[in-house]
Amino acid sequence: MNRKFFGMAVLCLLIARFGMAQQKLSLPDTANYIIRDSVLIKTNYGITLSAVVVQKKGITAKLPCALMYLIYSDTNRSLAEAKFAADKGYVGIVADARGKRLSPDNPEPYEHEARDVNAVIDWIVTQPWSDGRVGMYGGSFSGFAQWAATKYLHPALKTIVPYVASIPGLGLPMENNIFLNANYQWAFHVTNNKYTDDVVNNDNARWARMRNNWWQSGAAYNRIDSIDGTPNPWLQKWISHPAYDAYWQSMVPYGEDFAKINIPVLSITGYYDDGQVSALEYLREHYKYRPSAEHYLVIGPYDHFGAQKGGAATLKGYKVDPVALINTRELTFEWLDHILKGKERPALLRDKINFEVMGANVWKHVPAMDKVEAHQVRFYLDRAPNGNTVLSRIKQRKETFIVQRVDMVDRNSYYNDYYPSQIIKKEIDKTNGIFFTSKAFDRDVSVSGYLTGTLKAIINKKDMDVGLVLYEITPEGEYFQLSYFLGRASYAKDMSQRRLLTPGKAETIPFYRSRFFSRQLRKGSRLLVVLNIDKNPFAQVNYGSGKDVSKETVKDAGKPLQIRWSNTGFVDLQVSDTNF
């Protein structure tokens, strides 16, 4: 395996698990708790779900319920989670997804949570210990399940606290309409038995072999499970929906559905959360369709697991600012107490958007995502008179082009080294891609927000998969990765509808679903944007024929892809000071 992509191999393990790494919890004892670990919840539509319920003994008053909905069934973990909630003054419940643990039905991830979670809430409010109010919390799949429940918002659901929440069809198994191999084995992991198939999930050698054999073969993406040797019916079902169509839209709120979500929400995610595009899509759409939404965000230098516990002192080689380290579970129950018990709002939530500035060791608090810094600066993807490609703040009067050529047949080179296996790198791969560098900053400047903008290009094919990576080049010459974008050009304007590019015609390709970040840049630092085509073993290969990408083979590649990138293309960034 090419060493620069080692991090993606690690990602296959981490994302596939979709678990919640939290502080250690202790199991309840029968002397002080009422424990029901084999509850069966029969729905009025013929499905049976299972749950664990824990209450403190000696409490006669009806209480609100703290609910987690879990696909990674583990009775001891569920008991520990429910005990923690009981210790905080709630009835603690962990419900298992359809087909998991004691449920006799078949597991069918993603497809029924909008209905099944609400069936659990229906059951809760009929219990003698319930005061009729439910708050939900949890990470990744459990975060998704909370948003799924809001598609048909139950009147008893009073708040949700989703961490690193996934959106099926947007974050994984595909990101911006590109199917990724990072969680190929996830379906086996959660559907092979009533708990989790850790043996198959942890067989990294098998998944690396599968990826590399598929890559070298040039076979269609829909043949990858044949190369593995085990049918993957869930993958086949998912890749039959390459657009974000009605299949995916049915799973979580979509469009006007967000206008009806009138409960308070606390979202938590991280700059290096692999599924961050999903977590923040919920927030963007909620505010888009309900501007008055009471939706708070906490985001900092965390990865997928770190956001669920509150960070770690060192993250992928980066020494995290001390102020960034929080306790996610404690923050969660402070929020639940605020909403369900009338206590003060958690101190960290001074405004709607709360984010830590890496390198400054401070939290900032602003009312909206477009106000994270005082100014927005546009950098054009240009070429200087000396021939160097640069990030320029001046739009040239004359349009010129930078040519890139990519042989889609070639299997000796990987294109688009975007995954931050290490946040700080001594060097980066410069064998392919186009590198646009800014002038050095003559003062300290903080840069925050998304990597957004518009690409302008003329290509000789009908489609391409584009990658951009944003770095800080430090005064010492190291590369600090800030953000990246990965997306399919034909879905750039509408992820639910493919619009093929016209060969030889100037095309406009907007992008915005990238990674949010915040970083204090020191005097002497520069910004670097790497523009590239995505071509490697870790995702579908888009050969540009215009066919369904999952059905394209290397035989569809034809002539090398040739792109003429216009110097009218740009990236927008939010900065604290424009006088640099």
Side-chain angles (χ1 to χ4, degrees):
M1 179 184 297
N2 189 314
R3 68 178 179 85
K4 69 188 180 190
F5 279 90
F6 173 75
M8 286 297 293
V10 176
L11 175 64
C12 295
L13 170 63
L14 295 182
I15 294 186
R17 284 184 176 275
F18 264 90
M20 188 179 72
Q22 272 283 15
Q23 293 82 8
K24 289 184 178 180
L25 300 175
S26 59
L27 294 173
D29 59 83
T30 55
N32 296 296
Y33 300 88
I34 301 170
I35 302 169
R36 301 179 181 89
D37 63 3
S38 303
V39 173
L40 295 178
I41 301 171
K42 299 183 183 296
T43 71
N44 59 13
Y45 47 91
I47 296 299
T48 300
L49 305 169
S50 63
V52 161
V53 181
V54 175
Q55 299 168 259
K56 288 287 289 285
K57 282 186 176 179
I59 298 177
T60 57
K62 294 185 177 184
L63 297 175
C65 169
L67 170 65
M68 177 182 287
Y69 189 92
L70 199 63
I71 199 169
Y72 303 98
S73 295
D74 180 318
T75 304
N76 283 342
R77 174 184 167 182
S78 295
L79 285 167
E81 288 283 1
K83 172 188 176 288
F84 187 90
D87 287 339
K88 292 293 186 180
Y90 296 85
V91 177
I93 300 183
V94 178
D96 301 292
R98 178 185 297 210
K100 305 303 292 182
R101 210 166 68 94
L102 306 180
S103 169
D105 304 291
N106 293 322
E108 296 177 340
Y110 298 141
E111 296 190 344
H112 307 290
E113 272 64 34
R115 192 178 191 187
D116 289 354
V117 178
N118 281 304
V120 173
I121 298 174
D122 277 339
W123 176 82
I124 288 171
V125 298
T126 65
Q127 302 308 302
W129 36 257
S130 169
D131 74 354
R133 297 178 300 154
V134 176
M136 292 187 70
Y137 71 101
S140 201
F141 185 94
S142 298
F144 145 73
Q146 295 168 64
W147 281 110
T150 68
K151 191 170 182 71
Y152 308 109
L153 188 61
H154 197 291
L157 183 58
K158 301 303 181 182
T159 187
I160 60 174
V161 188
Y163 326 143
V164 293
S166 56
I167 296 180
L170 176 54
L172 287 170
M174 66 180 180
E175 179 168 326
N176 291 322
N177 303 93
I178 300 175
F179 281 93
L180 307 178
N181 290 331
N183 71 333
Y184 173 91
Q185 68 269 37
W186 185 77
F188 300 131
H189 182 47
V190 298
T191 65
N192 276 2
N193 59 50
K194 293 295 183 181
Y195 293 88
T196 54
D197 191 338
D198 295 329
V199 173
V200 70
N201 185 63
N202 296 341
D203 192 351
N204 294 328
R206 171 182 171 182
W207 309 123
R209 184 170 58 250
M210 176 198 74
R211 290 192 307 274
N212 291 331
N213 288 345
W214 164 74
W215 163 257
Q216 293 295 336
S217 74
Y221 191 75
N222 65 6
R223 300 292 296 168
I224 195 169
D225 55 349
S226 298
I227 291 171
D228 171 51
T230 303
N232 190 336
W234 282 103
L235 172 78
Q236 295 298 332
K237 186 171 190 177
W238 292 334
I239 64 176
S240 70
H241 298 276
Y244 192 79
D245 59 14
Y247 174 72
W248 304 111
Q249 293 170 19
S250 68
M251 299 177 185
V252 294
Y254 180 74
E256 292 292 342
D257 293 339
F258 282 98
K260 304 172 185 176
I261 302 175
N262 60 357
I263 60 173
V265 178
L266 171 58
S267 290
I268 302 173
T269 187
Y271 301 147
Y272 300 96
D273 167 26
D274 304 294
Q276 191 212 94
V277 291
S278 295
L280 294 188
E281 181 79 358
Y282 287 119
L283 181 135
R284 268 194 305 265
E285 293 295 284
H286 196 187
Y287 274 115
K288 176 181 176 180
Y289 289 98
R290 190 179 183 90
S292 63
E294 189 181 351
H295 192 150
Y296 288 78
L297 172 69
V298 171
I299 185 168
Y302 319 124
D303 61 9
H304 194 68
F305 289 160
Q308 299 176 67
K309 66 179 182 179
T314 302
L315 174 64
K316 299 183 178 185
Y318 166 59
K319 186 177 180 181
V320 173
D321 294 336
V323 74
L325 302 180
I326 61 175
N327 186 314
T328 301
R329 182 178 278 106
E330 290 294 341
L331 178 62
T332 296
F333 280 88
E334 287 177 12
W335 172 264
L336 293 178
D337 286 351
H338 169 57
I339 300 302
L340 298 173
K341 298 181 180 180
K343 295 187 179 181
E344 291 293 317
R345 192 170 69 210
L348 181 60
L349 307 182
R350 289 173 51 187
D351 213 325
K352 295 294 179 62
I353 310 300
N354 306 275
F355 61 101
E356 200 271 334
V357 185
M358 294 184 290
N361 196 35
V362 297
W363 284 89
K364 286 187 177 180
H365 314 272
V366 297
M369 296 294 274
D370 61 356
K371 297 184 183 301
V372 292
E373 297 289 1
H375 309 278
Q376 179 170 288
V377 175
R378 177 159 295 177
F379 294 93
Y380 291 93
L381 306 175
D382 203 356
R383 190 188 293 279
N386 63 5
N388 292 336
T389 46
V390 296
L391 290 176
S392 172
R393 294 176 64 182
I394 300 173
K395 183 177 182 180
Q396 301 299 324
R397 293 182 179 180
K398 180 180 179 181
E399 183 177 22
T400 59
F401 296 90
I402 300 166
V403 177
Q404 183 180 16
R405 184 179 180 275
V406 181
D407 184 356
M408 304 304 294
V409 176
D410 171 54
R411 287 296 180 271
N412 294 318
S413 298
Y414 297 174
Y415 282 66
N416 197 27
D417 184 12
Y418 65 89
Y419 185 70
S421 54
Q422 289 291 301
I423 293 171
I424 303 173
K425 305 172 185 178
K426 296 291 186 182
E427 59 182 27
I428 58 175
D429 178 26
K430 294 185 179 179
T431 60
N432 56 68
I434 305 174
F435 296 73
F436 299 90
T437 309
S438 75
K439 293 181 179 180
F441 291 85
D442 62 7
R443 66 194 67 194
D444 291 353
V445 175
S446 60
V447 183
S448 307
Y450 302 101
L451 175 64
T452 66
T454 298
L455 301 174
K456 306 287 186 69
I458 301 172
I459 72 172
N460 63 338
K461 295 181 181 292
K462 296 180 180 179
D463 204 1
M464 59 181 176
D465 291 347
V466 177
L468 294 105
V469 188
L470 176 67
Y471 294 96
E472 171 198 4
I473 305 176
T474 69
E476 295 78 22
E478 293 182 325
Y479 298 86
F480 190 108
Q481 185 162 340
L482 301 172
S483 180
Y484 70 86
F485 168 83
L486 177 67
R488 181 156 293 160
S490 57
Y491 286 101
K493 296 178 180 177
D494 184 351
M495 65 179 179
S496 68
Q497 183 68 44
R498 191 180 191 194
R499 185 190 70 84
L500 294 174
L501 281 63
T502 302
K505 178 186 174 183
E507 299 281 2
T508 299
I509 305 165
F511 61 92
Y512 68 92
R513 291 190 186 93
S514 64
R515 266 60 183 182
F516 181 97
F517 70 96
S518 181
R519 170 73 171 163
Q520 179 77 19
L521 275 59
R522 290 180 291 133
K523 177 182 177 180
S525 289
R526 293 173 291 156
L527 291 173
L528 168 66
V529 170
V530 183
L531 172 61
N532 215 338
I533 298 302
D534 198 61
K535 192 197 80 167
N536 53 64
F538 300 98
Q540 292 173 311
V541 177
N542 185 347
Y543 292 101
S545 71
K547 294 166 56 176
D548 182 337
V549 175
S550 292
K551 298 177 181 179
E552 286 184 310
T553 73
V554 71
K555 295 179 181 178
D556 293 302
K559 296 179 180 179
L561 171 64
Q562 184 163 300
I563 316 106
R564 299 174 65 208
W565 299 106
S566 169
N567 66 341
T568 61
F570 59 86
V571 297
D572 288 331
L573 295 170
Q574 294 187 61
V575 300
S576 59
D577 188 346
T578 59
N579 296 314
F580 55 83

